[in-house]
Tab-separated table of all heavy atoms in Angstrom:
chain	number	residue	atom	x	y	z
A	53	GLY	N	176.772	76.039	68.172
A	53	GLY	CA	175.416	76.522	68.227
A	53	GLY	C	175.377	77.913	68.811
A	53	GLY	O	176.257	78.723	68.518
A	54	ASP	N	174.334	78.192	69.617
A	54	ASP	CA	174.230	79.535	70.209
A	54	ASP	C	174.744	79.581	71.658
A	54	ASP	O	174.503	80.560	72.363
A	54	ASP	CB	172.782	80.040	70.137
A	54	ASP	CG	171.800	79.142	70.898
A	54	ASP	OD1	172.221	78.048	71.382
A	54	ASP	OD2	170.639	79.512	71.035
A	55	ILE	N	175.412	78.521	72.090
A	55	ILE	CA	175.989	78.488	73.432
A	55	ILE	C	177.389	79.107	73.335
A	55	ILE	O	178.206	78.636	72.519
A	55	ILE	CB	176.058	77.066	73.986
A	55	ILE	CG1	174.651	76.481	74.082
A	55	ILE	CG2	176.720	77.062	75.356
A	55	ILE	CD1	174.641	75.006	74.534
A	56	PRO	N	177.702	80.074	74.151
A	56	PRO	CA	179.037	80.718	74.082
A	56	PRO	C	180.166	79.711	74.358
A	56	PRO	O	180.029	78.826	75.203
A	56	PRO	CB	178.961	81.814	75.169
A	56	PRO	CG	177.499	82.034	75.394
A	56	PRO	CD	176.843	80.720	75.160
A	57	GLU	N	181.265	79.880	73.634
A	57	GLU	CA	182.497	79.113	73.861
A	57	GLU	C	182.286	77.626	73.803
A	57	GLU	O	182.852	76.851	74.600
A	57	GLU	CB	183.135	79.503	75.210
A	57	GLU	CG	183.472	80.998	75.309
A	57	GLU	CD	184.185	81.303	76.617
A	57	GLU	OE1	185.331	80.838	76.784
A	57	GLU	OE2	183.558	81.955	77.461
A	58	THR	N	181.505	77.138	72.845
A	58	THR	CA	181.318	75.711	72.669
A	58	THR	C	182.633	75.065	72.222
A	58	THR	O	183.336	75.574	71.360
A	58	THR	CB	180.244	75.411	71.634
A	58	THR	OG1	178.976	75.856	72.116
A	58	THR	CG2	180.163	73.931	71.305
A	59	ILE	N	182.961	73.932	72.865
A	59	ILE	CA	184.113	73.142	72.429
A	59	ILE	C	183.627	72.148	71.358
A	59	ILE	O	182.817	71.261	71.644
A	59	ILE	CB	184.714	72.366	73.630
A	59	ILE	CG1	185.174	73.339	74.712
A	59	ILE	CG2	185.877	71.472	73.155
A	59	ILE	CD1	185.636	72.650	75.988
A	60	VAL	N	184.104	72.340	70.141
A	60	VAL	CA	183.671	71.455	69.074
A	60	VAL	C	184.549	70.199	69.099
A	60	VAL	O	185.746	70.247	68.823
A	60	VAL	CB	183.786	72.149	67.709
A	60	VAL	CG1	183.361	71.187	66.589
A	60	VAL	CG2	182.912	73.388	67.679
A	61	ALA	N	183.965	69.079	69.501
A	61	ALA	CA	184.726	67.846	69.656
A	61	ALA	C	183.791	66.675	69.739
A	61	ALA	O	182.603	66.816	70.045
A	61	ALA	CB	185.600	67.916	70.925
A	62	ASP	N	184.338	65.485	69.433
A	62	ASP	CA	183.608	64.222	69.576
A	62	ASP	C	183.981	63.650	70.938
A	62	ASP	O	185.151	63.372	71.212
A	62	ASP	CB	184.029	63.271	68.460
A	62	ASP	CG	183.324	61.944	68.506
A	62	ASP	OD1	182.642	61.645	69.528
A	62	ASP	OD2	183.426	61.174	67.544
A	63	ILE	N	183.000	63.496	71.827
A	63	ILE	CA	183.280	63.072	73.177
A	63	ILE	C	183.864	61.668	73.242
A	63	ILE	O	184.448	61.284	74.262
A	63	ILE	CB	181.985	63.155	74.059
A	63	ILE	CG1	182.324	63.058	75.540
A	63	ILE	CG2	180.998	62.098	73.598
A	63	ILE	CD1	183.235	64.114	76.082
A	64	THR	N	183.776	60.884	72.159
A	64	THR	CA	184.433	59.571	72.184
A	64	THR	C	185.919	59.652	71.910
A	64	THR	O	186.631	58.661	72.113
A	64	THR	CB	183.779	58.633	71.135
A	64	THR	OG1	184.034	59.158	69.813
A	64	THR	CG2	182.273	58.519	71.353
A	65	ASP	N	186.414	60.829	71.455
A	65	ASP	CA	187.830	60.994	71.180
A	65	ASP	C	188.131	62.502	71.144
A	65	ASP	O	188.143	63.113	70.092
A	65	ASP	CB	188.201	60.356	69.849
A	65	ASP	CG	189.674	60.430	69.542
A	65	ASP	OD1	190.455	60.794	70.455
A	65	ASP	OD2	190.067	60.152	68.361
A	66	CYS	N	188.356	63.074	72.329
A	66	CYS	CA	188.532	64.521	72.396
A	66	CYS	C	189.836	64.903	73.097
A	66	CYS	O	189.955	65.972	73.675
A	66	CYS	CB	187.344	65.158	73.126
A	66	CYS	SG	187.053	64.487	74.807
A	67	ARG	N	190.820	64.014	73.032
A	67	ARG	CA	192.072	64.272	73.692
A	67	ARG	C	192.765	65.515	73.160
A	67	ARG	O	193.424	66.245	73.907
A	67	ARG	CB	192.993	63.051	73.571
A	67	ARG	CG	194.260	63.119	74.405
A	67	ARG	CD	195.012	61.800	74.367
A	67	ARG	NE	194.240	60.725	74.989
A	67	ARG	CZ	194.284	60.484	76.305
A	67	ARG	NH1	195.025	61.222	77.111
A	67	ARG	NH2	193.567	59.494	76.828
A	68	ASP	N	192.621	65.786	71.886
A	68	ASP	CA	193.253	66.973	71.283
A	68	ASP	C	192.555	68.258	71.699
A	68	ASP	O	193.190	69.337	71.671
A	68	ASP	CB	193.264	66.857	69.767
A	68	ASP	CG	194.172	65.739	69.255
A	68	ASP	OD1	195.066	65.330	70.014
A	68	ASP	OD2	193.966	65.270	68.108
A	69	GLN	N	191.313	68.202	72.036
A	69	GLN	CA	190.552	69.433	72.374
A	69	GLN	C	190.430	69.646	73.872
A	69	GLN	O	190.320	70.799	74.329
A	69	GLN	CB	189.144	69.359	71.779
A	69	GLN	CG	189.084	69.371	70.245
A	69	GLN	CD	189.279	67.983	69.650
A	69	GLN	OE1	189.235	66.986	70.372
A	69	GLN	NE2	189.471	67.913	68.334
A	70	ILE	N	190.425	68.584	74.679
A	70	ILE	CA	190.177	68.698	76.108
A	70	ILE	C	191.305	67.990	76.886
A	70	ILE	O	191.440	66.756	76.759
A	70	ILE	CB	188.817	68.130	76.537
A	70	ILE	CG1	187.684	68.745	75.700
A	70	ILE	CG2	188.561	68.361	78.000
A	70	ILE	CD1	186.317	68.176	75.969
A	71	PRO	N	192.096	68.695	77.661
A	71	PRO	CA	193.195	68.056	78.396
A	71	PRO	C	192.673	67.183	79.540
A	71	PRO	O	191.509	67.250	79.945
A	71	PRO	CB	193.954	69.292	78.968
A	71	PRO	CG	193.459	70.441	78.198
A	71	PRO	CD	192.065	70.155	77.788
A	72	ASP	N	193.576	66.330	80.051
A	72	ASP	CA	193.259	65.502	81.203
A	72	ASP	C	192.900	66.368	82.413
A	72	ASP	O	193.431	67.448	82.620
A	72	ASP	CB	194.482	64.638	81.587
A	72	ASP	CG	194.833	63.634	80.501
A	72	ASP	OD1	194.047	63.503	79.544
A	72	ASP	OD2	195.887	62.965	80.631
A	73	GLU	N	191.965	65.838	83.218
A	73	GLU	CA	191.601	66.438	84.514
A	73	GLU	C	191.411	67.945	84.411
A	73	GLU	O	191.996	68.707	85.152
A	73	GLU	CB	192.682	66.089	85.543
A	73	GLU	CG	192.817	64.590	85.775
A	73	GLU	CD	193.824	64.241	86.834
A	73	GLU	OE1	194.542	65.154	87.342
A	73	GLU	OE2	193.941	63.054	87.195
A	74	SER	N	190.526	68.349	83.504
A	74	SER	CA	190.297	69.772	83.297
A	74	SER	C	188.904	70.256	83.728
A	74	SER	O	188.628	71.458	83.644
A	74	SER	CB	190.494	70.130	81.799
A	74	SER	OG	189.733	69.267	80.981
A	75	PHE	N	188.031	69.349	84.201
A	75	PHE	CA	186.689	69.747	84.622
A	75	PHE	C	186.332	69.147	85.956
A	75	PHE	O	186.688	67.992	86.278
A	75	PHE	CB	185.652	69.371	83.563
A	75	PHE	CG	185.697	70.225	82.341
A	75	PHE	CD1	186.444	69.841	81.239
A	75	PHE	CD2	185.049	71.444	82.315
A	75	PHE	CE1	186.505	70.653	80.090
A	75	PHE	CE2	185.121	72.278	81.195
A	75	PHE	CZ	185.834	71.869	80.081
A	76	ASP	N	185.592	69.937	86.743
A	76	ASP	CA	185.133	69.496	88.065
A	76	ASP	C	183.781	68.809	88.001
A	76	ASP	O	183.467	67.969	88.873
A	76	ASP	CB	185.042	70.700	89.001
A	76	ASP	CG	186.383	71.396	89.182
A	76	ASP	OD1	187.252	70.859	89.876
A	76	ASP	OD2	186.552	72.464	88.596
A	77	VAL	N	182.959	69.189	87.030
A	77	VAL	CA	181.636	68.598	86.860
A	77	VAL	C	181.429	68.330	85.377
A	77	VAL	O	181.701	69.204	84.546
A	77	VAL	CB	180.508	69.549	87.363
A	77	VAL	CG1	179.131	68.911	87.147
A	77	VAL	CG2	180.718	69.888	88.828
A	78	VAL	N	180.950	67.135	85.058
A	78	VAL	CA	180.572	66.774	83.677
A	78	VAL	C	179.134	66.304	83.690
A	78	VAL	O	178.764	65.480	84.555
A	78	VAL	CB	181.509	65.723	83.086
A	78	VAL	CG1	181.087	65.388	81.652
A	78	VAL	CG2	182.951	66.209	83.091
A	79	LEU	N	178.356	66.791	82.760
A	79	LEU	CA	176.920	66.506	82.728
A	79	LEU	C	176.508	66.128	81.287
A	79	LEU	O	176.955	66.750	80.341
A	79	LEU	CB	176.135	67.740	83.178
A	79	LEU	CG	174.609	67.748	82.964
A	79	LEU	CD1	173.950	66.846	83.956
A	79	LEU	CD2	174.098	69.162	83.061
A	80	SER	N	175.661	65.121	81.194
A	80	SER	CA	175.044	64.839	79.895
A	80	SER	C	173.603	64.388	80.118
A	80	SER	O	173.330	63.562	81.008
A	80	SER	CB	175.811	63.732	79.142
A	80	SER	OG	175.632	62.463	79.733
A	81	CYS	N	172.686	64.949	79.367
A	81	CYS	CA	171.249	64.624	79.460
A	81	CYS	C	170.722	64.213	78.097
A	81	CYS	O	170.776	64.977	77.153
A	81	CYS	CB	170.465	65.843	79.976
A	81	CYS	SG	170.915	66.352	81.653
Side-chain angles (χ1 to χ4, degrees):
D54 61 353
I55 300 175
E57 301 183 68
T58 293
I59 300 173
V60 179
D62 181 348
I63 193 60
T64 65
D65 183 12
C66 57
R67 189 172 295 274
D68 292 340
Q69 295 85 11
I70 306 176
D72 295 353
E73 299 182 354
S74 52
F75 287 94
D76 301 285
V77 179
V78 179
L79 167 75
S80 71
C81 296

